[in-house]
Amino acid sequence: MPTLILVRHGRSTANTAGLLAGRTPGVGLDELGGAQAAALPERLAAVPLVAAVSSPLQRCQETLAPLLAARPGLALHTEERINECDYGDWAGRKLAELMDEPLMEVVQQHPSAAAFPGGESMPAMRDRAAQAVHDWNARVEREHGPDAVYLMCSHGDVIKSLVADALGLHLDLFQRISVEPSSITAIRYTRLRPFLLRLSDTGDFGSLVPRASDPGTGTSDATVGGGAGAP
């Protein structure tokens, strides 16, 4: 079965503002995010990609734009099922304010029971994304063979849920996984089990420098939607 390259979008204007963007329209990459996107073609230069699949949101489409420009023959497919989690009434709010919401403890400690007001549940997010990967694996293998490599550009919580699924982890453990902006995660699928080949690989070690909390959140807990990455 194919190998899947998961790319989290580059750093966005919402990341640096400490906002939970969700599906709010008009959230694009900030200056660093644009540089991260520009570096993606070189980082993946040796990988023979057969397809690129993207969340419909602007920040993912902008992240893939330089890669598509560098590979004119690479087809882009927009996939609604790898869209950002629908955070409902939480979307657009400051992360620091959301830390005082009673639901945040559930999101952190028991995400399999978390459902966002006016939005979707975390299990629903995981299920739709996992089904999308299952369907795309079958399609890519059918069209390009079992050794093909393809790419999906998505969001922090979605990618974390797919990693947990690949590792056979309960969703309640997925907050132990960190996925940096513009990071590359690779999963090779086989008939019997997936293999996690890379996790949140950014090519540098800036994110390993200890810091007290994630920017904008005032906490060291997992940031809903994914953190802003290294300063």
Side-chain angles (χ1 to χ4, degrees):
M1 295 178 68
T3 296
L4 169 61
I5 306 295
L6 289 162
V7 176
R8 184 183 169 199
H9 62 78
R11 197 174 75 176
S12 73
T13 54
N15 291 144
T16 47
L19 299 175
L20 181 61
R23 298 181 179 183
T24 304
V27 177
L29 302 181
D30 68 5
E31 184 176 357
L32 176 60
Q36 291 170 334
L40 194 59
E42 179 62 27
R43 292 171 65 198
L44 293 173
V47 183
L49 298 170
V50 300
V53 184
S54 177
S55 158
L57 294 186
Q58 177 182 332
R59 52 194 182 273
C60 286
Q61 303 272 333
E62 288 180 355
T63 297
L64 290 188
L67 178 66
L68 297 170
R71 302 193 190 197
L74 183 63
L76 175 65
H77 308 269
T78 298
E79 172 59 74
E80 179 64 37
R81 292 175 295 175
I82 61 169
N83 200 347
E84 177 66 282
C85 184
D86 184 355
Y87 296 117
D89 297 343
W90 279 26
R93 293 181 59 188
K94 287 189 174 295
L95 287 162
E97 295 175 358
L98 291 172
M99 298 310 299
D100 295 328
E101 294 281 351
L103 178 60
M104 183 60 80
E105 184 178 11
V106 182
V107 171
Q108 293 292 335
Q109 304 297 333
H110 191 24
S112 64
F116 295 97
E120 70 178 333
S121 69
M122 286 194 145
M125 174 199 71
R126 175 206 53 202
D127 292 348
R128 62 169 164 82
Q131 186 60 51
V133 169
H134 174 83
D135 292 346
W136 275 98
N137 281 348
R139 175 175 173 174
V140 167
E141 182 173 7
R142 183 173 63 251
E143 296 179 359
H144 301 281
D147 297 323
V149 183
Y150 73 107
L151 176 149
M152 281 185 170
C153 186
S154 188
H155 307 270
D157 280 348
V158 173
I159 294 173
K160 286 163 57 177
S161 75
L162 291 171
V163 171
D165 181 73
L167 293 176
L169 296 178
H170 195 283
L171 187 61
D172 286 344
L173 300 178
F174 101 125
Q175 297 290 29
R176 302 183 182 195
I177 300 167
S178 177
V179 176
E180 294 279 304
S182 195
S183 65
I184 292 172
T185 294
I187 302 171
R188 178 171 296 143
Y189 290 87
T190 74
R191 186 174 65 86
L192 297 179
R193 65 182 67 86
F195 292 90
L196 181 63
L197 305 180
R198 295 286 190 281
L199 176 61
S200 191
D201 188 338
T202 62
D204 66 67
F205 299 101
S207 64
L208 300 182
V209 177
R211 59 180 186 264
S213 64
D214 202 88
T217 67
T219 177
S220 59
D221 279 338
T223 304
V224 182

